Amino acid sequence: MTITIADYLLTRLAELGVHHMFGVPGDFNLWFLEEMIKNSDIRLVGCCNELNAAYAADGCARLAGVSALATTYGVGELASLAGIAGAYAERFPIVCITGAPPVHAMRERALLNHTMADGNFDNTLTCLSRVHSRASPN
């Protein structure tokens, strides 16, 4: 039996008790959001930008114990950093799901939209890891 990444993530989120996913549809996360809308009871709460979505997810996590956030690669995930860092610093769990360019584009170091146009696809992960290491509660 095979399972898609989307199905696995949606199943695990439902098991955690996530009922709402906050986010902004974008070109690198549309496939996931379409699967969620068609095949899941988790409701997409569309927000006007990623920072607002992150703060909404933070508020939901404070009330429900956990929440979820969907952003697109690059600009979307970077725009959500302040909200994610705030929730993390106060130990409110947000599951962040970010779309990504195709593997072949990363291997070819393609210059794509939503990137820094330098062929580096690790830079956004580096930013997120730094937020994690600096916001880590003692």
Side-chain angles (χ1 to χ4, degrees):
M1 184 174 142
T2 61
I3 186 169
T4 67
I5 292 170
D7 288 338
Y8 177 79
L9 289 172
L10 293 168
T11 298
R12 294 296 294 138
L13 288 170
E15 290 172 353
L16 288 172
V18 172
H19 299 288
H20 299 88
M21 180 170 299
F22 300 88
V24 178
D27 50 359
F28 294 120
N29 70 8
L30 286 178
W31 67 271
F32 175 75
L33 297 178
E34 288 173 0
E35 286 299 311
M36 183 179 72
I37 290 168
K38 287 192 284 187
N39 300 319
S40 174
D41 291 332
I42 298 173
R43 182 174 161 246
L44 174 63
V45 180
C47 299
C48 62
N49 63 53
E50 290 82 357
L51 180 57
N52 288 350
Y55 284 134
D58 178 10
C60 184
R62 290 169 189 263
L63 293 173
V66 64
S67 69
L69 172 70
T71 61
T72 194
Y73 178 80
V75 295
E77 62 187 316
L78 292 176
S80 68
L81 282 178
I84 294 168
Y88 184 81
E90 297 188 34
R91 298 183 183 193
F92 291 104
I94 299 174
V95 177
C96 300
I97 298 172
T98 300
V103 173
H104 70 84
M106 291 184 200
R107 284 190 188 126
E108 296 166 10
R109 299 179 57 84
L111 305 180
L112 300 176
N113 63 323
H114 292 219
T115 70
M116 304 293 185
D118 60 1
N120 178 357
F121 291 92
D122 293 331
N123 47 23
T124 55
L125 182 59
T126 300
C127 290
L128 291 170
S129 67
R130 289 185 179 157
V131 166
H132 180 272
S133 66
R134 291 202 167 108
S136 183
N138 294 333

